[in-house]
Amino acid sequence: MVVFLFLVLGNLSILAQSSKRDTLLNELEEIKKSANFNSNDTLYINQLLELAKEYRYHNLDSLKILSKKSLELSQKAEYINGEINSYYTIGGYYSDKGKIDLAISNFTKSYNIAAEHDKSFLKARTLNELAKEYGYKGEYSKALKWYLVTIEIAEKNNYKNIISIVNDNIAHLYVEQKDYEQAMVFFQKSKSIHEEIGNPIFLAETLSNIASTYADMNELEYAMFNVNVSIATFEKERILEWLAYCYEIKGKIYLKNNKNTWALYWYKQSELLHQEIEDDRGKIDLLNGMTEAFLNLEKDSVAEVYALNAFELSKKIGLRSGIKTSAHKLSKIFKDKKDFEKSLWYHELYQTTYESLSANNNEKALNMLKTRVEYDQQKQQLILDNEKALAKQKIYIYVFIIILFIFAIITFLIHRNEQAQKKLNQELRNKKNDLEEKQAYLNELNQTKNKLFSIIGHDLRGPIGAFQGLLKLFKEGEMTKDEFLNFVPKLKVDIDTISFTLNNLLSWGQTQMNGSITRHSVTNLDCIVEENIALLSEIAEAKSITLVNRIEPNCQIWSDPNQIDIIIRNLLSNALKFTPNNGQIIIGAIQKIKTCEIYVKDNGMGMSEDIIGKLFEKDSNHTTYGTNDEKGTGLGLSLCKEMVEKNNGKIWVHSALGKGSSFYFTIPRLQKRYKESA
């Protein structure tokens, strides 16, 4: 059913494009039938060129015939634009046929005529194609040079579409060098321009190239998102050659994800479209992709057919990268068939092609860099020349500046007293504000001190006093050794509570009085959680509470590990405090694109809306007794909030009385750091 629907949609697309060609043919016939028809009429020539463009990717012979005819008529009528566009479309014909030198020759003729008659748009458009041909030829330095000249012309005349297309094509040079990060810089520039212009087709072309690059980088989720957006546009606009390219990219994504059956499904969709278009370069990548998919499925005989087709097509248009890839696959196929003679032949061809490409790659990369530097130097020299030409005019500017300076001095003297008075008033206001700020700061410090002393007096003095009393009774003989040992578990709990409270007090006091320093680093969340579960396990066992860790191993976040340790410990300690005997506490994490959402859930007492509203207040002193009359300082959650925010996160809680509580906070995750445009 899926294949049937695809065929129906494909036929609709073909009919739509055929319909446009039919319309152009009918219009040509109408022009020819008119009483005053003249074959040298520019309208007739333009219609011929439009029809020729429609035959590209569908019938290259018709493209050539119509382009030659329009060139002949344009030269006869001395129609400059027609002559430029005719050479341009003829160049496209030879490019698609893989005859790069003939393509360069015709694009050069088109450019020279456009330059002679100062046709800026046609110059920029033709230079882009000329540069692309040098890229196909492997002469990347020339390609980059002409791309940069094209951008200069386009920027001068604000041809935004051409600027974006050239950025796409420069990106492809870096893709060929496997410098994907630099390529993505140029793709993103192109994408921004298309989004500004609002042309969905050009944007879809760039997104498809971005998808292909993401696939090469193994960023498969990003690749799939971008290619799906492109497919939606090309299916709506029924642009078959780009749709075939996108289906091939989607197949590549599934292939890299080891989903060979799905890869073949999308490769087949692309193959069906290639039956209706003429795009040999795009077809080579498709054939090599299908070869690899069939090899993965151990269908070597089918893979051999596709690999041979890719090899022959690569030889036909002289695409060395295609020869290298297909020869490598054929060597493996014949080796598995134990046809070692053919396997060796293809392997030697692969090795020769690989070494040839590898030997040139370093030189090409250096040439690209050298060309870019030379171009920047030439541009800088032109700027210096312009500055020298303007130097003579600076004398008049200096005279004018002197006059302005004298006027400024006079104005300054007139208003000096008024300005001095304003300055004095401003200084007084500033000093007053400084005093008020210092007074507020001292008040805060005083409140912090009072709170610390209050907590020390009420929450630490009691357990310490009890401990001193027991030691005194034991020392004075009023308590036997066995009686004293019976109190040891209780004493350990009290000491652990004192230690935990002191840690919170020190951390909170530091943030309030001096300001704590947050040092971000790669933090393994699972290790911190496991350490705190081990630390609090005795308390959990005493209440028969089950601690469940659902943090995935190697869950990494970008944070201060010491502060995350304090946050986790406080949340787990609170959950243990308010969870009844035989309860359960779950800690886990939801990994999103940019953040990690960590939660601690219990089935304890829960909280009312009034209590929830006071939990995270900075000056809150609210504390509640736990299910076994445990008592806290009331600092833990306000400390958690401050430290979560210092780590660029947020914290919140969901709770209801009798239904338990769920605390959540977010922390940034550790982030991992093409088809040509029309």
Side-chain angles (χ1 to χ4, degrees), residues 83-85 87-88 104-120 122-128 130 146 149-150 153:
E83 194 171 349
I84 294 169
N85 286 318
Y87 279 122
Y88 180 87
I104 290 175
S105 174
N106 281 277
F107 284 133
T108 302
K109 290 177 183 177
S110 177
Y111 169 73
N112 288 338
I113 299 170
E116 181 183 350
H117 293 85
D118 198 23
K119 305 283 186 180
S120 298
L122 297 178
K123 273 200 307 181
R125 185 187 67 173
T126 307
L127 270 180
N128 173 62
L130 187 58
W146 289 120
V149 174
T150 306
I153 296 171

PDB file of all heavy atoms in Angstrom, residues 83-85 87-88 104-120 122-128 130 146 149-150 153:
ATOM      1  N   GLU A  83      22.165  35.526 -25.214  1.00  0.00           N
ATOM      2  CA  GLU A  83      23.440  34.862 -25.484  1.00  0.00           C
ATOM      3  C   GLU A  83      24.080  34.378 -24.174  1.00  0.00           C
ATOM      4  O   GLU A  83      24.575  33.248 -24.094  1.00  0.00           O
ATOM      5  CB  GLU A  83      24.372  35.850 -26.195  1.00  0.00           C
ATOM      6  CG  GLU A  83      25.583  35.191 -26.826  1.00  0.00           C
ATOM      7  CD  GLU A  83      26.378  36.154 -27.694  1.00  0.00           C
ATOM      8  OE1 GLU A  83      25.870  37.264 -27.978  1.00  0.00           O
ATOM      9  OE2 GLU A  83      27.502  35.793 -28.077  1.00  0.00           O
ATOM     10  N   ILE A  84      24.058  35.233 -23.128  1.00  0.00           N
ATOM     11  CA  ILE A  84      24.633  34.863 -21.822  1.00  0.00           C
ATOM     12  C   ILE A  84      23.917  33.633 -21.264  1.00  0.00           C
ATOM     13  O   ILE A  84      24.551  32.661 -20.831  1.00  0.00           O
ATOM     14  CB  ILE A  84      24.521  36.044 -20.838  1.00  0.00           C
ATOM     15  CG1 ILE A  84      25.390  37.212 -21.297  1.00  0.00           C
ATOM     16  CG2 ILE A  84      24.934  35.613 -19.430  1.00  0.00           C
ATOM     17  CD1 ILE A  84      25.137  38.502 -20.538  1.00  0.00           C
ATOM     18  N   ASN A  85      22.574  33.667 -21.268  1.00  0.00           N
ATOM     19  CA  ASN A  85      21.797  32.561 -20.705  1.00  0.00           C
ATOM     20  C   ASN A  85      21.930  31.288 -21.531  1.00  0.00           C
ATOM     21  O   ASN A  85      21.843  30.182 -20.983  1.00  0.00           O
ATOM     22  CB  ASN A  85      20.332  32.968 -20.585  1.00  0.00           C
ATOM     23  CG  ASN A  85      20.095  33.934 -19.443  1.00  0.00           C
ATOM     24  OD1 ASN A  85      20.639  33.767 -18.364  1.00  0.00           O
ATOM     25  ND2 ASN A  85      19.306  34.967 -19.683  1.00  0.00           N
ATOM     26  N   TYR A  87      24.695  30.261 -23.278  1.00  0.00           N
ATOM     27  CA  TYR A  87      25.962  29.633 -22.883  1.00  0.00           C
ATOM     28  C   TYR A  87      25.841  29.019 -21.486  1.00  0.00           C
ATOM     29  O   TYR A  87      26.418  27.970 -21.188  1.00  0.00           O
ATOM     30  CB  TYR A  87      27.097  30.656 -22.903  1.00  0.00           C
ATOM     31  CG  TYR A  87      27.660  30.909 -24.291  1.00  0.00           C
ATOM     32  CD1 TYR A  87      27.659  32.190 -24.842  1.00  0.00           C
ATOM     33  CD2 TYR A  87      28.208  29.868 -25.038  1.00  0.00           C
ATOM     34  CE1 TYR A  87      28.183  32.432 -26.106  1.00  0.00           C
ATOM     35  CE2 TYR A  87      28.726  30.089 -26.304  1.00  0.00           C
ATOM     36  CZ  TYR A  87      28.716  31.381 -26.840  1.00  0.00           C
ATOM     37  OH  TYR A  87      29.224  31.606 -28.089  1.00  0.00           O
ATOM     38  N   TYR A  88      25.068  29.678 -20.614  1.00  0.00           N
ATOM     39  CA  TYR A  88      24.871  29.187 -19.241  1.00  0.00           C
ATOM     40  C   TYR A  88      24.160  27.830 -19.247  1.00  0.00           C
ATOM     41  O   TYR A  88      24.579  26.886 -18.563  1.00  0.00           O
ATOM     42  CB  TYR A  88      24.055  30.225 -18.466  1.00  0.00           C
ATOM     43  CG  TYR A  88      23.759  29.857 -17.038  1.00  0.00           C
ATOM     44  CD1 TYR A  88      24.646  30.161 -16.014  1.00  0.00           C
ATOM     45  CD2 TYR A  88      22.572  29.215 -16.693  1.00  0.00           C
ATOM     46  CE1 TYR A  88      24.369  29.839 -14.691  1.00  0.00           C
ATOM     47  CE2 TYR A  88      22.287  28.877 -15.377  1.00  0.00           C
ATOM     48  CZ  TYR A  88      23.191  29.194 -14.384  1.00  0.00           C
ATOM     49  OH  TYR A  88      22.909  28.870 -13.083  1.00  0.00           O
ATOM     50  N   ILE A 104      33.145  24.192 -18.276  1.00  0.00           N
ATOM     51  CA  ILE A 104      33.927  25.380 -17.887  1.00  0.00           C
ATOM     52  C   ILE A 104      34.048  26.343 -19.056  1.00  0.00           C
ATOM     53  O   ILE A 104      33.911  27.571 -18.896  1.00  0.00           O
ATOM     54  CB  ILE A 104      35.319  24.951 -17.378  1.00  0.00           C
ATOM     55  CG1 ILE A 104      35.189  24.248 -16.022  1.00  0.00           C
ATOM     56  CG2 ILE A 104      36.256  26.145 -17.275  1.00  0.00           C
ATOM     57  CD1 ILE A 104      36.488  23.671 -15.493  1.00  0.00           C
ATOM     58  N   SER A 105      34.275  25.804 -20.255  1.00  0.00           N
ATOM     59  CA  SER A 105      34.413  26.647 -21.446  1.00  0.00           C
ATOM     60  C   SER A 105      33.151  27.471 -21.695  1.00  0.00           C
ATOM     61  O   SER A 105      33.221  28.682 -21.938  1.00  0.00           O
ATOM     62  CB  SER A 105      34.716  25.763 -22.665  1.00  0.00           C
ATOM     63  OG  SER A 105      34.714  26.540 -23.847  1.00  0.00           O
ATOM     64  N   ASN A 106      31.975  26.852 -21.603  1.00  0.00           N
ATOM     65  CA  ASN A 106      30.727  27.574 -21.859  1.00  0.00           C
ATOM     66  C   ASN A 106      30.376  28.545 -20.732  1.00  0.00           C
ATOM     67  O   ASN A 106      29.885  29.650 -20.993  1.00  0.00           O
ATOM     68  CB  ASN A 106      29.593  26.574 -22.084  1.00  0.00           C
ATOM     69  CG  ASN A 106      29.611  25.978 -23.475  1.00  0.00           C
ATOM     70  OD1 ASN A 106      29.111  26.560 -24.425  1.00  0.00           O
ATOM     71  ND2 ASN A 106      30.229  24.804 -23.612  1.00  0.00           N
ATOM     72  N   PHE A 107      30.622  28.141 -19.487  1.00  0.00           N
ATOM     73  CA  PHE A 107      30.372  29.069 -18.377  1.00  0.00           C
ATOM     74  C   PHE A 107      31.300  30.283 -18.469  1.00  0.00           C
ATOM     75  O   PHE A 107      30.904  31.409 -18.149  1.00  0.00           O
ATOM     76  CB  PHE A 107      30.560  28.368 -17.033  1.00  0.00           C
ATOM     77  CG  PHE A 107      29.436  27.462 -16.656  1.00  0.00           C
ATOM     78  CD1 PHE A 107      29.668  26.174 -16.189  1.00  0.00           C
ATOM     79  CD2 PHE A 107      28.116  27.886 -16.766  1.00  0.00           C
ATOM     80  CE1 PHE A 107      28.620  25.341 -15.835  1.00  0.00           C
ATOM     81  CE2 PHE A 107      27.062  27.049 -16.408  1.00  0.00           C
ATOM     82  CZ  PHE A 107      27.314  25.782 -15.951  1.00  0.00           C
ATOM     83  N   THR A 108      32.558  30.052 -18.914  1.00  0.00           N
ATOM     84  CA  THR A 108      33.503  31.162 -19.074  1.00  0.00           C
ATOM     85  C   THR A 108      33.017  32.136 -20.141  1.00  0.00           C
ATOM     86  O   THR A 108      33.099  33.362 -19.971  1.00  0.00           O
ATOM     87  CB  THR A 108      34.899  30.625 -19.424  1.00  0.00           C
ATOM     88  OG1 THR A 108      35.341  29.724 -18.407  1.00  0.00           O
ATOM     89  CG2 THR A 108      35.902  31.759 -19.546  1.00  0.00           C
ATOM     90  N   LYS A 109      32.510  31.602 -21.258  1.00  0.00           N
ATOM     91  CA  LYS A 109      31.965  32.475 -22.313  1.00  0.00           C
ATOM     92  C   LYS A 109      30.793  33.294 -21.779  1.00  0.00           C
ATOM     93  O   LYS A 109      30.676  34.498 -22.040  1.00  0.00           O
ATOM     94  CB  LYS A 109      31.504  31.629 -23.506  1.00  0.00           C
ATOM     95  CG  LYS A 109      32.646  31.003 -24.300  1.00  0.00           C
ATOM     96  CD  LYS A 109      32.108  30.116 -25.413  1.00  0.00           C
ATOM     97  CE  LYS A 109      33.236  29.419 -26.176  1.00  0.00           C
ATOM     98  NZ  LYS A 109      32.712  28.506 -27.219  1.00  0.00           N
ATOM     99  N   SER A 110      29.925  32.642 -21.019  1.00  0.00           N
ATOM    100  CA  SER A 110      28.771  33.336 -20.442  1.00  0.00           C
ATOM    101  C   SER A 110      29.231  34.450 -19.507  1.00  0.00           C
ATOM    102  O   SER A 110      28.712  35.582 -19.567  1.00  0.00           O
ATOM    103  CB  SER A 110      27.902  32.332 -19.678  1.00  0.00           C
ATOM    104  OG  SER A 110      26.810  32.979 -19.054  1.00  0.00           O
ATOM    105  N   TYR A 111      30.233  34.163 -18.684  1.00  0.00           N
ATOM    106  CA  TYR A 111      30.727  35.161 -17.732  1.00  0.00           C
ATOM    107  C   TYR A 111      31.391  36.334 -18.457  1.00  0.00           C
ATOM    108  O   TYR A 111      31.174  37.503 -18.108  1.00  0.00           O
ATOM    109  CB  TYR A 111      31.721  34.520 -16.764  1.00  0.00           C
ATOM    110  CG  TYR A 111      32.453  35.536 -15.929  1.00  0.00           C
ATOM    111  CD1 TYR A 111      31.806  36.213 -14.897  1.00  0.00           C
ATOM    112  CD2 TYR A 111      33.792  35.854 -16.195  1.00  0.00           C
ATOM    113  CE1 TYR A 111      32.468  37.172 -14.134  1.00  0.00           C
ATOM    114  CE2 TYR A 111      34.457  36.811 -15.446  1.00  0.00           C
ATOM    115  CZ  TYR A 111      33.791  37.468 -14.421  1.00  0.00           C
ATOM    116  OH  TYR A 111      34.446  38.420 -13.688  1.00  0.00           O
ATOM    117  N   ASN A 112      32.229  36.043 -19.470  1.00  0.00           N
ATOM    118  CA  ASN A 112      32.954  37.105 -20.178  1.00  0.00           C
ATOM    119  C   ASN A 112      31.990  38.095 -20.833  1.00  0.00           C
ATOM    120  O   ASN A 112      32.210  39.313 -20.790  1.00  0.00           O
ATOM    121  CB  ASN A 112      33.889  36.501 -21.228  1.00  0.00           C
ATOM    122  CG  ASN A 112      35.091  35.800 -20.592  1.00  0.00           C
ATOM    123  OD1 ASN A 112      35.450  36.094 -19.447  1.00  0.00           O
ATOM    124  ND2 ASN A 112      35.705  34.871 -21.306  1.00  0.00           N
ATOM    125  N   ILE A 113      30.915  37.572 -21.437  1.00  0.00           N
ATOM    126  CA  ILE A 113      29.936  38.470 -22.076  1.00  0.00           C
ATOM    127  C   ILE A 113      29.211  39.295 -21.010  1.00  0.00           C
ATOM    128  O   ILE A 113      29.001  40.500 -21.170  1.00  0.00           O
ATOM    129  CB  ILE A 113      28.923  37.665 -22.911  1.00  0.00           C
ATOM    130  CG1 ILE A 113      29.639  36.904 -24.034  1.00  0.00           C
ATOM    131  CG2 ILE A 113      27.855  38.579 -23.508  1.00  0.00           C
ATOM    132  CD1 ILE A 113      28.764  35.901 -24.762  1.00  0.00           C
ATOM    133  N   ALA A 114      28.849  38.642 -19.889  1.00  0.00           N
ATOM    134  CA  ALA A 114      28.164  39.361 -18.807  1.00  0.00           C
ATOM    135  C   ALA A 114      29.070  40.437 -18.216  1.00  0.00           C
ATOM    136  O   ALA A 114      28.610  41.541 -17.898  1.00  0.00           O
ATOM    137  CB  ALA A 114      27.736  38.381 -17.723  1.00  0.00           C
ATOM    138  N   ALA A 115      30.381  40.137 -18.063  1.00  0.00           N
ATOM    139  CA  ALA A 115      31.323  41.116 -17.520  1.00  0.00           C
ATOM    140  C   ALA A 115      31.521  42.272 -18.491  1.00  0.00           C
ATOM    141  O   ALA A 115      31.593  43.443 -18.085  1.00  0.00           O
ATOM    142  CB  ALA A 115      32.659  40.428 -17.223  1.00  0.00           C
ATOM    143  N   GLU A 116      31.599  41.950 -19.790  1.00  0.00           N
ATOM    144  CA  GLU A 116      31.798  42.993 -20.810  1.00  0.00           C
ATOM    145  C   GLU A 116      30.648  43.993 -20.816  1.00  0.00           C
ATOM    146  O   GLU A 116      30.852  45.196 -21.008  1.00  0.00           O
ATOM    147  CB  GLU A 116      31.935  42.326 -22.186  1.00  0.00           C
ATOM    148  CG  GLU A 116      32.173  43.310 -23.323  1.00  0.00           C
ATOM    149  CD  GLU A 116      32.221  42.622 -24.679  1.00  0.00           C
ATOM    150  OE1 GLU A 116      32.253  41.374 -24.712  1.00  0.00           O
ATOM    151  OE2 GLU A 116      32.208  43.338 -25.697  1.00  0.00           O
ATOM    152  N   HIS A 117      29.425  43.517 -20.581  1.00  0.00           N
ATOM    153  CA  HIS A 117      28.250  44.397 -20.620  1.00  0.00           C
ATOM    154  C   HIS A 117      27.749  44.750 -19.217  1.00  0.00           C
ATOM    155  O   HIS A 117      26.640  45.280 -19.068  1.00  0.00           O
ATOM    156  CB  HIS A 117      27.131  43.726 -21.427  1.00  0.00           C
ATOM    157  CG  HIS A 117      27.463  43.587 -22.890  1.00  0.00           C
ATOM    158  ND1 HIS A 117      28.192  42.514 -23.381  1.00  0.00           N
ATOM    159  CD2 HIS A 117      27.199  44.387 -23.950  1.00  0.00           C
ATOM    160  CE1 HIS A 117      28.328  42.638 -24.682  1.00  0.00           C
ATOM    161  NE2 HIS A 117      27.748  43.778 -25.070  1.00  0.00           N
ATOM    162  N   ASP A 118      28.567  44.459 -18.175  1.00  0.00           N
ATOM    163  CA  ASP A 118      28.270  44.830 -16.788  1.00  0.00           C
ATOM    164  C   ASP A 118      26.898  44.321 -16.335  1.00  0.00           C
ATOM    165  O   ASP A 118      26.108  45.064 -15.746  1.00  0.00           O
ATOM    166  CB  ASP A 118      28.357  46.347 -16.619  1.00  0.00           C
ATOM    167  CG  ASP A 118      28.504  46.739 -15.143  1.00  0.00           C
ATOM    168  OD1 ASP A 118      28.972  45.888 -14.355  1.00  0.00           O
ATOM    169  OD2 ASP A 118      28.124  47.870 -14.794  1.00  0.00           O
ATOM    170  N   LYS A 119      26.638  43.040 -16.582  1.00  0.00           N
ATOM    171  CA  LYS A 119      25.404  42.398 -16.111  1.00  0.00           C
ATOM    172  C   LYS A 119      25.717  41.724 -14.767  1.00  0.00           C
ATOM    173  O   LYS A 119      26.113  40.559 -14.715  1.00  0.00           O
ATOM    174  CB  LYS A 119      24.911  41.362 -17.127  1.00  0.00           C
ATOM    175  CG  LYS A 119      24.711  41.906 -18.539  1.00  0.00           C
ATOM    176  CD  LYS A 119      23.426  42.711 -18.628  1.00  0.00           C
ATOM    177  CE  LYS A 119      23.140  43.126 -20.069  1.00  0.00           C
ATOM    178  NZ  LYS A 119      21.893  43.901 -20.194  1.00  0.00           N
ATOM    179  N   SER A 120      25.558  42.463 -13.671  1.00  0.00           N
ATOM    180  CA  SER A 120      26.042  42.014 -12.363  1.00  0.00           C
ATOM    181  C   SER A 120      25.412  40.700 -11.920  1.00  0.00           C
ATOM    182  O   SER A 120      26.102  39.780 -11.466  1.00  0.00           O
ATOM    183  CB  SER A 120      25.772  43.093 -11.303  1.00  0.00           C
ATOM    184  OG  SER A 120      26.471  44.265 -11.618  1.00  0.00           O
ATOM    185  N   LEU A 122      23.916  38.319 -13.704  1.00  0.00           N
ATOM    186  CA  LEU A 122      24.313  37.191 -14.555  1.00  0.00           C
ATOM    187  C   LEU A 122      25.776  36.828 -14.320  1.00  0.00           C
ATOM    188  O   LEU A 122      26.153  35.652 -14.383  1.00  0.00           O
ATOM    189  CB  LEU A 122      24.073  37.536 -16.023  1.00  0.00           C
ATOM    190  CG  LEU A 122      22.602  37.797 -16.399  1.00  0.00           C
ATOM    191  CD1 LEU A 122      22.480  38.171 -17.864  1.00  0.00           C
ATOM    192  CD2 LEU A 122      21.742  36.576 -16.092  1.00  0.00           C
ATOM    193  N   LYS A 123      26.619  37.843 -14.028  1.00  0.00           N
ATOM    194  CA  LYS A 123      28.022  37.561 -13.688  1.00  0.00           C
ATOM    195  C   LYS A 123      28.101  36.689 -12.437  1.00  0.00           C
ATOM    196  O   LYS A 123      28.798  35.677 -12.414  1.00  0.00           O
ATOM    197  CB  LYS A 123      28.771  38.873 -13.425  1.00  0.00           C
ATOM    198  CG  LYS A 123      29.364  39.523 -14.644  1.00  0.00           C
ATOM    199  CD  LYS A 123      30.474  40.518 -14.289  1.00  0.00           C
ATOM    200  CE  LYS A 123      30.043  41.530 -13.270  1.00  0.00           C
ATOM    201  NZ  LYS A 123      31.131  42.496 -12.971  1.00  0.00           N
ATOM    202  N   ALA A 124      27.393  37.110 -11.382  1.00  0.00           N
ATOM    203  CA  ALA A 124      27.449  36.378 -10.114  1.00  0.00           C
ATOM    204  C   ALA A 124      26.917  34.963 -10.273  1.00  0.00           C
ATOM    205  O   ALA A 124      27.511  33.999  -9.778  1.00  0.00           O
ATOM    206  CB  ALA A 124      26.656  37.136  -9.053  1.00  0.00           C
ATOM    207  N   ARG A 125      25.782  34.817 -10.953  1.00  0.00           N
ATOM    208  CA  ARG A 125      25.181  33.504 -11.118  1.00  0.00           C
ATOM    209  C   ARG A 125      26.109  32.563 -11.890  1.00  0.00           C
ATOM    210  O   ARG A 125      26.271  31.384 -11.547  1.00  0.00           O
ATOM    211  CB  ARG A 125      23.844  33.650 -11.854  1.00  0.00           C
ATOM    212  CG  ARG A 125      23.068  32.354 -11.967  1.00  0.00           C
ATOM    213  CD  ARG A 125      21.847  32.507 -12.844  1.00  0.00           C
ATOM    214  NE  ARG A 125      22.225  32.754 -14.232  1.00  0.00           N
ATOM    215  CZ  ARG A 125      21.367  32.789 -15.249  1.00  0.00           C
ATOM    216  NH1 ARG A 125      20.081  32.623 -15.026  1.00  0.00           N
ATOM    217  NH2 ARG A 125      21.781  33.019 -16.477  1.00  0.00           N
ATOM    218  N   THR A 126      26.741  33.088 -12.974  1.00  0.00           N
ATOM    219  CA  THR A 126      27.601  32.248 -13.812  1.00  0.00           C
ATOM    220  C   THR A 126      28.903  31.897 -13.091  1.00  0.00           C
ATOM    221  O   THR A 126      29.397  30.773 -13.194  1.00  0.00           O
ATOM    222  CB  THR A 126      27.913  32.970 -15.140  1.00  0.00           C
ATOM    223  OG1 THR A 126      26.690  33.365 -15.750  1.00  0.00           O
ATOM    224  CG2 THR A 126      28.657  32.051 -16.085  1.00  0.00           C
ATOM    225  N   LEU A 127      29.457  32.862 -12.339  1.00  0.00           N
ATOM    226  CA  LEU A 127      30.690  32.576 -11.591  1.00  0.00           C
ATOM    227  C   LEU A 127      30.476  31.464 -10.573  1.00  0.00           C
ATOM    228  O   LEU A 127      31.370  30.646 -10.336  1.00  0.00           O
ATOM    229  CB  LEU A 127      31.165  33.844 -10.866  1.00  0.00           C
ATOM    230  CG  LEU A 127      32.113  34.763 -11.639  1.00  0.00           C
ATOM    231  CD1 LEU A 127      32.490  35.955 -10.786  1.00  0.00           C
ATOM    232  CD2 LEU A 127      33.363  34.024 -12.071  1.00  0.00           C
ATOM    233  N   ASN A 128      29.292  31.436  -9.959  1.00  0.00           N
ATOM    234  CA  ASN A 128      28.976  30.369  -9.010  1.00  0.00           C
ATOM    235  C   ASN A 128      29.061  29.003  -9.689  1.00  0.00           C
ATOM    236  O   ASN A 128      29.635  28.056  -9.145  1.00  0.00           O
ATOM    237  CB  ASN A 128      27.588  30.599  -8.425  1.00  0.00           C
ATOM    238  CG  ASN A 128      27.126  29.435  -7.561  1.00  0.00           C
ATOM    239  OD1 ASN A 128      27.731  29.122  -6.553  1.00  0.00           O
ATOM    240  ND2 ASN A 128      26.064  28.779  -7.982  1.00  0.00           N
ATOM    241  N   LEU A 130      30.710  28.315 -12.481  1.00  0.00           N
ATOM    242  CA  LEU A 130      32.090  28.094 -12.905  1.00  0.00           C
ATOM    243  C   LEU A 130      32.925  27.565 -11.737  1.00  0.00           C
ATOM    244  O   LEU A 130      33.701  26.614 -11.880  1.00  0.00           O
ATOM    245  CB  LEU A 130      32.669  29.415 -13.426  1.00  0.00           C
ATOM    246  CG  LEU A 130      34.055  29.356 -14.082  1.00  0.00           C
ATOM    247  CD1 LEU A 130      34.059  28.408 -15.268  1.00  0.00           C
ATOM    248  CD2 LEU A 130      34.481  30.750 -14.520  1.00  0.00           C
ATOM    249  N   TRP A 146      36.840  31.774  -6.997  1.00  0.00           N
ATOM    250  CA  TRP A 146      35.686  32.304  -7.747  1.00  0.00           C
ATOM    251  C   TRP A 146      34.453  32.408  -6.865  1.00  0.00           C
ATOM    252  O   TRP A 146      33.621  33.298  -7.060  1.00  0.00           O
ATOM    253  CB  TRP A 146      35.408  31.426  -8.968  1.00  0.00           C
ATOM    254  CG  TRP A 146      36.454  31.573 -10.050  1.00  0.00           C
ATOM    255  CD1 TRP A 146      37.244  30.605 -10.553  1.00  0.00           C
ATOM    256  CD2 TRP A 146      36.827  32.782 -10.719  1.00  0.00           C
ATOM    257  NE1 TRP A 146      38.097  31.102 -11.497  1.00  0.00           N
ATOM    258  CE2 TRP A 146      37.855  32.450 -11.635  1.00  0.00           C
ATOM    259  CE3 TRP A 146      36.405  34.110 -10.638  1.00  0.00           C
ATOM    260  CZ2 TRP A 146      38.458  33.392 -12.451  1.00  0.00           C
ATOM    261  CZ3 TRP A 146      37.007  35.054 -11.466  1.00  0.00           C
ATOM    262  CH2 TRP A 146      38.025  34.696 -12.359  1.00  0.00           C
ATOM    263  N   VAL A 149      34.837  35.739  -5.102  1.00  0.00           N
ATOM    264  CA  VAL A 149      34.527  36.849  -6.014  1.00  0.00           C
ATOM    265  C   VAL A 149      33.010  36.964  -6.207  1.00  0.00           C
ATOM    266  O   VAL A 149      32.448  38.066  -6.231  1.00  0.00           O
ATOM    267  CB  VAL A 149      35.228  36.641  -7.373  1.00  0.00           C
ATOM    268  CG1 VAL A 149      34.788  37.721  -8.370  1.00  0.00           C
ATOM    269  CG2 VAL A 149      36.737  36.677  -7.208  1.00  0.00           C
ATOM    270  N   THR A 150      32.349  35.809  -6.317  1.00  0.00           N
ATOM    271  CA  THR A 150      30.887  35.808  -6.468  1.00  0.00           C
ATOM    272  C   THR A 150      30.215  36.461  -5.270  1.00  0.00           C
ATOM    273  O   THR A 150      29.289  37.275  -5.415  1.00  0.00           O
ATOM    274  CB  THR A 150      30.368  34.369  -6.625  1.00  0.00           C
ATOM    275  OG1 THR A 150      31.051  33.723  -7.695  1.00  0.00           O
ATOM    276  CG2 THR A 150      28.877  34.358  -6.913  1.00  0.00           C
ATOM    277  N   ILE A 153      30.542  40.265  -5.410  1.00  0.00           N
ATOM    278  CA  ILE A 153      29.593  40.883  -6.342  1.00  0.00           C
ATOM    279  C   ILE A 153      28.184  40.856  -5.752  1.00  0.00           C
ATOM    280  O   ILE A 153      27.444  41.852  -5.805  1.00  0.00           O
ATOM    281  CB  ILE A 153      29.608  40.139  -7.702  1.00  0.00           C
ATOM    282  CG1 ILE A 153      30.972  40.280  -8.371  1.00  0.00           C
ATOM    283  CG2 ILE A 153      28.506  40.669  -8.619  1.00  0.00           C
ATOM    284  CD1 ILE A 153      31.150  39.404  -9.601  1.00  0.00           C
TER     285      ILE A 153
END
